[in-house]
C-alpha cells in the first residue's frame, strides 16, 4: 500500500489511503479503550491495517511504512498478536521476508479462547443435533 489519496498500491487499487489511515487510528483507539478487549495500543494499531488489507496480510516493512513506526514497534506488536493467536507468520514465496496474516475466523477463535469454551460445542454448528 502506498501513501497518496486514491493512489494505487500493490493491493486495493484506487483505495483512499487517507481514509484507511483514519480507520486504523480510530480502530486502535476504540480497541484500547474497550475494557473487554484490553488490547495494547501498538498491537491494535498493527492489527487494524491487517484487518483493512484486501488479503488480510502485510510485511513488517509495509506495516511500518503505513503506520510510520519502527521495526521494533512492529515486532513487539506482532509478538503480542501471535501470542494471543490473532495473527500468524508465513513466508512470501521465493523470499526470506515474513508476511503477517490474520487467522481465519479470527473473531470466533479469539472470543472462544477468551471465554475458555467452544460456543458451538464439539460438532460444527451445521451438523449439531438439538436435544429432545
Amino acid at each position: 500500500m502506498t501513501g497518496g489519496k486514491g493512489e494505487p498500491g500493490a493491493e486495493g487499487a484506487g483505495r483512499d489511503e487517507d481514509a484507511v489511515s483514519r480507520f486504523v487510528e480510530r480502530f486502535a483507539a476504540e480497541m484500547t479503550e474497550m475494557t473487554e478487549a484490553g488490547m495494547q495500543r501498538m498491537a491494535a494499531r498493527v492489527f487494524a491495517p491487517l484487518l483493512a488489507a484486501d488479503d488480510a496480510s502485510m510485511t513488517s516493512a509495509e506495516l511500518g511504512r503505513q503506520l510510520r513506526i519502527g521495526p521494533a514497534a512492529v515486532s513487539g506488536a506482532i509478538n503480542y498478536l501471535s501470542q494471543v493467536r490473532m495473527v500468524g507468520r508465513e513466508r512470501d514465496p521465493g523470499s526470506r521476508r515474513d508476511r503477517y496474516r490474520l487467522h481465519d475466523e479470527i473473531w470466533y477463535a479469539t472470543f472462544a479462547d477468551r471465554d475458555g469454551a467452544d460456543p458451538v460445542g464439539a460438532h460444527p454448528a451445521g451438523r449439531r443435533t438439538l436435544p429432545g
Side-chain angles (χ1 to χ4, degrees):
M1 299 176 125
T2 57
K5 183 175 181 175
E7 183 179 321
E11 59 182 47
R15 178 179 288 197
D16 183 343
E17 294 301 323
D18 292 335
V20 172
S21 291
R22 286 190 305 275
F23 164 77
V24 166
E25 295 305 324
R26 192 171 55 249
F27 181 87
E30 291 294 325
M31 289 299 287
T32 55
E33 288 177 15
M34 293 172 34
T35 346
E36 285 290 312
M39 189 181 286
Q40 300 170 1
R41 174 122 176 104
M42 190 57 66
R45 286 189 72 209
V46 168
F47 180 75
L50 290 170
L51 189 63
D54 290 341
D55 65 351
S57 76
M58 296 175 82
T59 65
S60 178
E62 291 168 336
L63 287 164
R65 201 170 31 255
Q66 181 171 346
L67 298 170
R68 295 181 185 96
I69 59 176
V74 173
S75 178
I78 289 294
N79 285 337
Y80 170 80
L81 292 169
S82 296
Q83 287 174 354
V84 295
R85 295 188 289 187
M86 294 179 80
V87 299
R89 252 174 249 247
E90 57 188 41
R91 291 274 174 178
D92 269 343
S95 171
R96 292 180 11 187
R97 182 173 289 176
D98 283 333
R99 189 168 246 345
Y100 305 105
R101 177 176 301 282
L102 292 182
H103 289 298
D104 291 338
E105 300 180 22
I106 185 70
W107 298 112
Y108 171 82
T110 300
F111 288 107
D113 285 349
R114 184 195 69 178
D115 295 338
D118 182 358
V120 296
H123 302 286
R127 292 188 297 158
R128 192 169 32 156
T129 57
L130 298 174

